[in-house]
Amino acid sequence: MTSKPRKPGRLFFANPGPTNIPDSILRAMDVPTVDFMSEDFIDIYDQGVAGLKRLLFTTGEVFIYTSSGHGAWEATIQNLFSPGDTILMPECGYFSRTWGAMAKRFGLNTEMPETDWRRGPDPATITERLLADKSHQIKAVCIVHNETSTGVALDLPAIRAAIDAAKHPALFLVDTISSFASLEFRMEDWGIDAVVGGSQKGLMLPAGLAFTAVSEKALEAHKSATLTRFYFDWTKMMARRHRSFVGTVPVPPFYGLVESVRLLESEGIENVWRRHHRLAEATRRAVSIWSGNQGVAFFCSDPKRRSDSVTAVKMPEGHDAEAVRKIAYDRFNVSLGGGLDPLGGQVFRIGHMGDLNEPMILGTLSIVELSLRLAGVPHANGGVNAAIDYLAAA
Ligand SMILES: *Cc1c(COP(=O)(O)O)cnc(C)c1O
């Protein structure tokens, strides 16, 4: 057995999910087993759920599952639709493509108009499609708020307005897995009927909890939905004390959730959004400089849609993103995100979501710049300086 040399210092984890877990959350989850029906635990549980609702800006029902985000995708489809139902899911990245593929597998007629992955759908095309649907066959418009694979964030109020402009009754479903507790998000104000979220991104928890928050209108749709479901059945869940879960409730994650909510609310959720914007903007200043000398570039071609939780960096022709990631990880203990599926090798991704501050982002950006240099990837020097200049002034 060969042992690998120890990497001194801290691993800088800059993937766009999972994210860094604050020490106080790790400690909060270090609890012995308790009865999940006991009053002591139910109190913790209720606090966690109430906190989730405040952070989502909803007063409606939230169903929580022992799963990663994929489970919440699946639960949402099973509970809202019947075989053969039509849904509209603009395809604009790996995650919308995968959620759409899942819906197809469940027997839904899934319309996936392909859009430019580098900017995502134009809301006007959604209005157009809905206006053409005179008999209201389309049961839902499904949108990934923040395409973690491309670094493109969509304007949800603009999409809500696009649905309203067609006076169409379709449900509005949103995947907020990589935007929740990072980007501004207001479920009720923005007229969203079902929100899919997960624990391991903005909430700074390990993977393992996922949820769907639903509107009254979505609960109505659930009553007539006939897709086969069992473990994820909302009706079964509503009959239980926790109003979630079929089976054992995972206890430690809820102690973590209560601490996560405490951290986010003591900073103030609007300050959390501002912090993400500031650190994202510092990242963008660096990437802008690096794009000199026909170097690396933003994958997202529309500056207004560049995400505040992840930046996807596109390689110049003939250069492999994996070489950059490998140097950053092997030599400097910095973990960057890779390109997903068709974008493999073409992009690397800098995650700037969750528990993050200036030294962490500057450390990461420094190592990206160093790794670009060592990998011989075209770029202009000075990206980190530009990030510092921005942070000094902002
Ligand atoms: C991470 C992510 C998912 C998938 O979640 P898992 O927890 O990996 O199952 C879905 N959608 C988006 C936008 C994501 O970022």
Side-chain angles (χ1 to χ4, degrees), residues 18-252:
T19 64
N20 295 286
I21 305 174
D23 293 349
S24 70
I25 290 184
L26 289 172
R27 284 195 292 270
M29 290 189 300
D30 186 3
V31 288
T33 303
V34 296
D35 180 354
F36 62 86
M37 295 303 290
S38 69
E39 282 309 313
D40 287 343
F41 177 67
I42 294 221
D43 181 46
I44 293 293
Y45 182 88
D46 288 345
Q47 282 181 45
V49 175
L52 262 187
K53 290 184 188 187
R54 288 194 300 276
L55 294 171
L56 286 162
F57 293 84
T58 184
T59 51
E61 208 69 64
V62 180
F63 300 106
I64 311 180
Y65 326 105
T66 313
S67 78
S68 78
H70 277 71
W73 271 351
E74 192 157 318
T76 306
I77 291 169
Q78 292 173 337
N79 278 284
L80 289 177
F81 305 113
S82 303
D85 276 355
T86 298
I87 63 170
L88 181 63
M89 172 100 69
E91 196 213 281
C92 52
Y94 173 82
F95 288 102
S96 44
R97 175 185 275 187
T98 308
W99 195 12
M102 179 189 272
K104 276 187 190 159
R105 187 69 70 86
F106 278 104
L108 301 193
N109 174 28
T110 311
E111 284 188 24
M112 299 179 70
E114 216 181 292
T115 67
D116 177 356
W117 280 28
R118 297 190 66 181
R119 64 180 315 280
D122 178 351
T125 60
I126 295 173
T127 306
E128 245 169 67
R129 178 62 192 97
L130 293 178
L131 278 173
D133 178 36
K134 300 256 183 289
S135 58
H136 297 166
Q137 294 301 304
I138 296 174
K139 298 294 178 225
V141 175
C142 305
I143 297 290
V144 173
H145 183 193
N146 187 69
E147 246 302 346
T148 327
S149 61
T150 61
V152 176
L154 298 178
D155 181 346
L156 294 177
I159 295 172
R160 174 73 257 175
I163 299 171
D164 292 344
K167 297 193 169 53
H168 195 288
L171 295 169
F172 185 19
L173 270 52
V174 173
D175 168 338
T176 181
I177 297 180
S178 66
S179 56
F180 180 47
S182 303
L183 274 56
E184 181 174 8
F185 184 82
R186 300 177 190 274
M187 179 173 174
E188 276 173 8
D189 287 357
W190 293 356
I192 301 170
D193 294 300
V195 173
V196 176
S199 55
Q200 81 275 28
K201 296 185 185 175
L203 282 176
M204 312 172 287
L205 295 166
L209 285 186
F211 62 84
T212 314
V214 294
S215 69
E216 281 297 321
K217 186 173 160 188
L219 274 185
E220 268 313 298
H222 167 66
K223 287 183 190 156
S224 55
T226 62
L227 269 180
T228 302
R229 53 185 175 258
F230 192 98
Y231 182 59
F232 288 129
D233 189 347
W234 294 347
T235 298
K236 259 201 235 302
M237 292 182 188
M238 280 185 281
R240 306 229 322 168
R241 166 60 183 83
H242 301 79
R243 296 186 77 73
S244 278
F245 294 102
V246 171
T248 303
V249 178
V251 165

Side-chain angles (χ1 to χ4, degrees), residues 2 39 68 132 134 144 185 192 202 214 231 242 291 299 322 324 329 359 364-365 379 386 390-391:
T2 56
E39 282 309 313
S68 78
K134 300 256 183 289
V144 173
F185 184 82
I192 301 170
V214 294
Y231 182 59
H242 301 79
S291 66
F299 185 78
E322 290 308 296
V324 178
Y329 189 72
T364 297
L365 295 174
H379 67 287
Y390 167 76
L391 291 171

Side-chain angles (χ1 to χ4, degrees), residues 308-338:
D308 281 345
S309 65
V310 51
T311 298
V313 181
K314 190 175 167 297
M315 301 298 289
E317 272 304 309
H319 292 270
D320 182 8
E322 290 308 296
V324 178
R325 287 207 322 130
K326 190 168 163 40
I327 291 171
Y329 189 72
D330 290 352
R331 291 187 55 178
F332 305 114
N333 218 6
V334 172
S335 179
L336 301 167

